[in-house]
Each structure stands twice: as C-alpha cells, then as structure tokens.
Amino acid sequence: MKFFVDTAVVAEIKELNYGLLDGVTTNPTLIAKSGRDFKEVIAEIAALVTGPVSAEVASMEFEGMVKEGEHLAKIAPNVVIKLPLTLQGLKACRHFTQAGIKTNVTLCFSANQALLAAKAGATYISPFIGRLDDLNIDGIELIRDIRVIYDNYDFETQILAASIRTANHVKDAAIAGADVATIPPAVIKGLANHLLTDKGLEQFAKDWAATGQKIAA
Ligand code: G3P
C-alpha cells in the first residue's frame, strides 16, 4: 500500500520525505490551516516530492472546475486534480481523464459513488473512513466493498483511503486492499511506536553500556 501524507504544511512533508512518502494530498481545510497561498504551496510541495500531489478545485460547477483544474495542472506535472463526488465533479473528471490529466475524486461515502467515479475514469477515489466511523458507520467496510466492485470489473481507479485518524485505520485499510492511504503526519509517525520496542531498546542500551565497548570511535 502506498502512503500519501495528508497535509499542506511543507515542514511536515520534509520531515517524512525519506522514502516513506509516495505522494501528498491537500484539501481546502488543510490549505486554510497552512496559512499559505494555495498555488504557491502546491508548487513548493510538487517540487519537493516526486509522487502525485492532490490539489482540490473550489468551484461547484463543471465550467469552473475545468478552468480551475487546468490552472492547477499547469503548476507541475505531478499535480493531481481533486474533484468532488457530484455529477458536476464526475463530468469534470471525465474531461480531465480524456485530456490525460490525473484526478482524485473526493468526499466518497458509498460504494455506488465509487462505482460512478471509476466509470468516469478517476485515477483515485477517496472514501472517507473516519467521517463514516464518526457516524457509527463502518468506514473500512466501504473500502472492502469498493475493492470487490473494482476487482469484479477490472477498474483501474486506485482506492485512496482518506480521513484516516488512527494506526488501526492504516492497518485495516491495508488488509481491505486499499491501494493508497492518505495519512496525517502524526499518525504516520505513530506507526513506528511500540512499547515493547522502547522497553527492548532500553535493556539493550543498558547491557551494551555494561560491556564498555564502542562500535565507532
Ligand atoms: O483529505 C481528506 C481527508 O483525509 C479528511 O480527513 O480527518 O478531515 O475527515 P478528516
């Protein structure tokens, strides 16, 4: 499973950008949190990472989405146009797919929505796990359903598990067969943690010190 980081904060991307990251996703909320100019920060991120960088349109109508998406796509070749899962967004998705521009269809909350996005030729579909869990609906079950549907018909659209909040979300999305997970920086860092790792390391350090040896001078 590929890892994208879900942030528009450049320092957070730099901190993780040593082989762990396959791409970046942003959304209007994350751009607002970064306090940066949208196009400037997307250009900076796209130059920093080699993988895809999702940048979301603000318009709700097809014409506006196309205009904004074309603008964003010109920033860098690895910019992916993020579009909402509405009929207008799906129409724009088809437009960009036909133009050879990659798309990420976002705010997906049902398997039927994911089916429509695949039929529109989306590069990525973003089902929001955490926001479904917030409503007591099993977000991971949605990933499982989409996996079955896409495999039934050999759709090439990649399942990008989004709205990931916990380490268990990452593990469960991987088990369910998500192609990608977009993960907040703190959750990515937390994946490396284990109490037994810390405990074992503490013991090794103590025992090593007792030998009085040095590996490198
Ligand atoms: O980029 C979309 C997504 O990951 C949002 O997550 O936590 O705001 O539901 P969240």
Side-chain angles (χ1 to χ4, degrees):
M1 185 170 69
K2 283 178 249 170
F3 274 16
F4 291 176
V5 64
D6 201 23
T7 182
V9 176
V10 171
E12 291 180 334
I13 298 166
K14 281 186 178 160
E15 196 188 346
L16 293 164
N17 198 17
Y18 50 87
L20 271 186
L21 293 189
D22 301 295
V24 178
T25 53
T26 66
N27 63 37
T29 305
L30 295 173
I31 295 293
K33 271 191 201 156
S34 78
R36 296 276 311 272
D37 174 84
F38 181 29
K39 285 179 275 176
E40 255 177 47
V41 79
I42 292 295
E44 199 175 327
I45 295 170
L48 199 63
V49 299
T50 48
V53 177
S54 288
E56 189 161 342
V57 298
S59 178
M60 307 283 172
E61 307 302 328
F62 170 74
E63 285 80 11
M65 288 178 194
V66 167
K67 203 168 155 200
E68 291 175 1
E70 281 171 355
H71 219 75
L72 293 170
K74 279 191 194 123
I75 294 176
N78 54 338
V79 169
V80 171
I81 307 307
K82 207 170 176 188
L83 301 154
L85 211 156
T86 58
L87 290 176
Q88 297 285 303
L90 292 170
K91 195 174 163 193
C93 174
R94 166 63 62 198
H95 168 91
F96 287 115
T97 299
Q98 281 172 343
I101 293 170
K102 291 197 168 114
T103 54
N104 174 358
V105 176
T106 190
L107 290 166
C108 170
F109 294 96
S110 80
N112 280 332
Q113 286 183 318
L115 179 55
L116 288 178
K119 288 177 76 65
T123 315
Y124 301 101
I125 180 69
S126 289
F128 277 35
I129 298 175
R131 291 190 196 185
L132 282 171
D133 284 0
D134 290 344
L135 300 178
N136 245 337
I137 300 167
D138 187 353
I140 292 295
E141 194 184 329
L142 175 59
I143 304 286
R144 280 195 290 270
D145 288 349
I146 300 171
R147 182 73 281 154
V148 171
I149 291 168
Y150 282 9
D151 289 349
N152 280 349
Y153 299 100
D154 290 330
F155 283 123
E156 283 174 13
T157 300
Q158 295 184 49
I159 303 172
L160 198 176
S163 186
I164 284 195
R165 310 266 176 79
T166 65
N168 276 342
H169 275 157
V170 177
K171 178 194 71 175
D172 292 339
I175 292 170
D179 299 286
V180 191
T182 188
I183 317 170
V187 176
I188 294 188
K189 286 192 265 179
L191 296 179
N193 294 342
H194 201 289
L195 271 179
L196 291 178
T197 305
D198 296 344
K199 203 176 157 206
L201 208 51
E202 203 181 311
Q203 186 65 47
F204 285 161
K206 235 186 246 165
D207 294 343
W208 178 249
T211 71
Q213 298 180 50
K214 274 197 168 56
I215 297 173

